[in-house]
Amino acid sequence: MGKHIAVSPAEAADRLAIRELVEAYAHCADRRDANGQMSLFTEDTHFVVYMNAKDRAPSMELHSREALAPVFADLNKYDATTHFVGQSTIFTLTAERATGEAYCLAHHVTVKDGKRGLMIASLRYLDTCVKIDGSWLFIERRLYVDWLEERALL
């Protein structure tokens, strides 16, 4: 177990704000608030998806906040989603920039021909965040899908 070190109140506030940024992303996804989700990113954001975390080549790569709209709108195909945000680690932190990793178990409920299904995805996000006008935003978010499971729901 690591040694605990003292942090300044400003650093503690930044760490909390970054965690709240990660949680706001999941909250907006589950509430189908695409505009809210997009507002968590810089205008020139870089969003990269690796549907298979073992692949070096991304499945999707976007280069602006506006390009995120159809990706977030795609969540509307699910009857419900629940994103459980797990551990998050901040690797580097300065007054204006941070890097880190967050884990998430994403649950997606489908309904097709009257039958319900559940797809669970184990996700990791490698994030770079910047502080602009006192608020933390994602400038880069790399989404890695470690595994998927699909099952029928009763």
Side-chain angles (χ1 to χ4, degrees):
M1 187 142 182
K3 181 180 177 182
H4 291 280
I5 58 170
V7 297
S8 71
E11 181 179 342
D14 284 339
R15 288 177 176 275
L16 177 59
I18 292 166
R19 175 63 186 202
E20 288 175 343
L21 175 67
V22 169
E23 291 171 352
Y25 177 90
H27 175 82
C28 289
D30 291 338
R31 298 297 170 264
R32 303 301 183 274
D33 181 2
N35 289 332
Q37 208 169 5
M38 289 168 56
S39 75
L40 304 173
F41 291 82
T42 62
E43 295 269 344
D44 62 343
T45 198
H46 186 216
F47 188 83
V48 187
V49 177
Y50 298 84
M51 288 304 293
N52 179 348
K54 294 177 184 173
D55 286 346
R56 288 184 176 259
S59 309
M60 178 188 329
E61 191 165 358
L62 305 170
H63 295 279
S64 72
R65 178 191 292 160
E66 290 305 314
L68 297 171
V71 174
F72 297 155
D74 193 49
L75 288 173
N76 291 317
K77 70 183 177 185
Y78 298 106
D79 192 50
T81 60
T82 302
H83 291 75
F84 287 105
V85 178
Q87 71 269 28
S88 60
T89 303
I90 294 177
F91 298 135
T92 63
L93 177 63
T94 67
E96 297 174 354
R97 192 172 189 90
T99 62
E101 180 178 46
Y103 282 69
C104 177
L105 284 178
H107 299 70
H108 301 81
V109 177
T110 59
V111 178
K112 186 173 182 178
D113 300 325
K115 295 183 180 183
R116 293 174 30 145
L118 175 65
M119 185 267 289
I120 303 170
S122 175
L123 309 175
R124 282 181 300 115
Y125 294 93
L126 291 181
D127 296 322
T128 302
C129 305
V130 292
K131 193 175 192 181
I132 299 174
D133 296 330
S135 296
W136 285 95
L137 299 171
F138 297 112
I139 192 168
E140 181 175 77
R141 189 149 231 225
R142 292 180 176 269
L143 186 164
Y144 293 87
V145 180
D146 285 323
W147 55 263
L148 295 170
E149 178 183 344
E150 295 189 44
R151 60 175 95 150
L153 288 178
L154 300 175

